Amino acid sequence: MVLGSYRRISMSRIFEITQQIKSYLPKADVELINRAYVFAAHAHARQRRSSGDLYIMHPLAVAKNLVDLKLDVSSVVTGLLHDTVEDTHVTITDIEQRFGEEIARLVDGVTKVGKIHFRSSEHKKAENFRKMIMATAQDLRVLMVKLADRLHNMETLHFMPERKRQRIAIETMEIYAPLAHRLGIHWVKQRMEDLAFAHIEPEAYQALSEKLADKIDFLQQTQSRLEGILQEVLSRQGIEAQVQGRMKHMYSLHQKMQRKHLDFDEIFDFIAFRVIVDDTPSCYQVLGMIHSLYRPVPGRFKDYIALPKPNGYQSLQTAVIGPDNFRIEVQIRTESMHKYAEDGVASHWLYKSDDPKALKDQQNFQWLKQLTELLQTAENPGEFLENVRLDLFVQEVYVFTRDGDLFALPRGSTTLDFAYAIHTDVGNRCVGMRINGEHADFHYKLCNGDQIEVLTSTEQTPSRKWLNIVQTPRARQSIRHWFREQERETAIQLGEHLLQHAIGVDFIHQGILDFAACDDVEALHEKLGRGDLEVTDLLAFVNKGLSKSSVRSSLAHVFMQASSCCYPIPGDTVVGSFEAGKGFLLHDAQCPMVFKSDAQRWIDVDWNASSDALYKTGIEVFSQNQRGSLGLITSCVSEQAANIADLKIEQRPGALSSLYFLLEVQDRTHLARIFKALKAMPHVAKVRRHIPQQMPQSQASSRLSSMMRSVTSFGQQLGQSIKDKTTRKKP
Ligand code: MN
């Protein structure tokens, strides 16, 4: 085709458009539309569509769709200009200078929405994408232009390469047709669905087309016959009504066959009828007449007048068995219900712009104000609001990773929330971010469409300050969990240490885990480390048959070693510490060793007697130098069931000797009995504990009460942070 004839066609198209808009907006600024056409034709002059058409034919088709939707001048101008910024050298500033701020904003919106691409592998996010498109659109008219644009692209999709065709068809089916449905623009939805269906399931589409072609004559005859019957019946009753028969669109037939597992021959309701009357009471009157004429199909009557659909749709719907057992669906509605059902939100806009005040507003379109007015007139404000409020009702912000993955986060979320939304580890290691390529801090609040790159470092760990920054429960929980996890690791380490020295790792078998109600050894370590399980209880279980008190001493036996520098015995006030290669060594609390080393390593221990074990300790007996006195003393010790491990004799001035014994005794009680027996001997002047590096006794007793901690507090103490550990005072 030569350029001249294209020009003639496009000129006649723009004339058609301006004529059409004048039919519903008599004062429409046609001059602005013409200027936009000339500007767009010039900008796209060197471009052609895949079809071979001059590019300007596309914006013209979009503008035509927009006047079919009876939209305002700004929308139609935007339709003409919508691809100039994306595809030509024209900038938004150029548009603003020539066509004003409002149209520049609309064109910018369409350009932005056009950059959002839905990837079919992410079907589950389709609803988020729809919301995001609505949020990005900001102004409902942006969305209308986008739908008009997509509709024409679908009509010319067969010129595109196969790969692109699939993507665009799926996106249309998943995103744009449901959007059109949501906005109540029924015809756009149906056309989009049929066009997408042809590309997504070509075989099914082809098969259905062929079967319909065979039947089309019969269906058309049936349709016009039924139209005649219904029209006649209604006029006989004095009801003025338009009766329109229509074929169901292909995709809805296909869906029905799929959903109900029907063959083509099993479908009886190819045709639907619409009866349009003047007012609501007439709707119910017509319903009654049709039901008395033909037998209704049970369960198929729906009153969407009393209870409109969420997108605002209103009608009475029924299905009846018509002549020749032909099943027919009937929709009954008023003219305004019909307009809404066909054009959705657009019809509301037109309806309002009919009155002079709204026409005046049109010069300076205030969407929000109009919306408020719409809400006041809507039959069901709540549902209407939900469907048209766009940006306002969207509680989320939609942002992307650097790779283009979409994330929906609550309004007010920060970059740190985003990092945690990607992955807990990404959050924990986050050191900063780049938003749309520029550095931003943790406090930055996310905006729709932000592309975010999270910077991480393996050195980074969460800070408690982050709890004040994050807004999402997920991020908050992750940070708290991290801190709990740190405490847990400390507890595990300490519990493991405790176990190694208490019973030895070899002892841990399933029975122990069952007893401790732990799934694994790590859990056992943690439980011990936190003090949730007493070491003594565990040992009582390990040494079955022993009482808890006897276990305390067997614990002492297995676990604790009395140090050989001060020879403490059970019942003494002792402290202990772990020593490499020796285990847990107990010292007398007053032993100089205790004061020589770091106070923080000493742990108070309540060391109780064992029934069988014997412990070494030293005593000094002052005895008169009498013949046979040593023999009497050693027999006395033996009678008290103590062993003598070592003995030294030291002559003192005068008649006394000091006898130093290293005894093996059970505990302090046992030693006290020995002392008592010895003191009862006539030649014994005095008996006392003798420990190498003896400390004054008075100091030891003064500290006794503060030392009375049980060994079980050991675990609890360790479970806390090392820093929290009580510091010992030196006397
Ligand atoms: Mn376009």
Side-chain angles (χ1 to χ4, degrees), residues 561-604:
Q561 304 277 329
S563 116
S564 57
C565 63
C566 54
Y567 293 117
I569 56 172
D572 281 347
T573 302
V574 292
V575 293
S577 76
F578 290 108
E579 278 175 40
K582 293 183 185 169
F584 194 71
L585 278 189
L586 294 178
H587 289 259
D588 189 286
Q590 300 301 311
C591 175
M593 290 298 291
V594 175
F595 299 101
K596 275 183 193 160
S597 56
D598 180 14
Q600 294 210 356
R601 61 190 282 242
W602 297 103
I603 293 152
D604 295 331

Side-chain angles (χ1 to χ4, degrees), residues 58 82-83 149 153:
H58 168 63
H82 81 275
D83 276 334
D149 176 37
N153 285 338

Side-chain angles (χ1 to χ4, degrees), residues 15 46 105 130 192 194 262 318 338 354 370 389 480 495 633:
F15 182 71
R46 293 169 188 277
R105 187 165 45 74
R130 282 196 285 277
M192 281 183 170
D194 277 356
L262 296 175
T318 190
H338 179 61
D354 276 340
Q370 289 239 337
R389 209 157 55 135
R480 292 213 173 109
I633 288 168

Side-chain angles (χ1 to χ4, degrees), residues 440-465:
D441 66 17
F442 288 179
H443 293 271
Y444 174 89
K445 293 218 187 303
L446 302 176
C447 301
N448 269 321
D450 277 346
Q451 193 173 50
I452 306 166
E453 184 185 350
V454 179
L455 309 172
T456 58
S457 162
T458 49
E459 307 280 292
Q460 178 70 301
T461 56
S463 149
R464 287 196 190 271
K465 282 181 194 161

Side-chain angles (χ1 to χ4, degrees), residues 516-585:
C518 292
D519 291 336
D520 50 33
V521 175
E522 191 177 79
L524 180 66
H525 288 160
E526 184 185 351
K527 217 166 183 177
L528 278 170
R530 287 189 189 279
D532 293 340
L533 172 66
E534 293 193 6
V535 177
T536 48
D537 285 344
L538 185 58
L539 275 157
F541 172 76
V542 172
N543 303 305
K544 272 194 192 96
L546 297 179
S547 70
K548 187 171 171 177
S549 64
S550 68
V551 163
R552 280 176 176 266
S553 54
S554 98
L555 168 64
H557 182 70
V558 176
F559 168 39
M560 299 174 180
Q561 304 277 329
S563 116
S564 57
C565 63
C566 54
Y567 293 117
I569 56 172
D572 281 347
T573 302
V574 292
V575 293
S577 76
F578 290 108
E579 278 175 40
K582 293 183 185 169
F584 194 71
L585 278 189

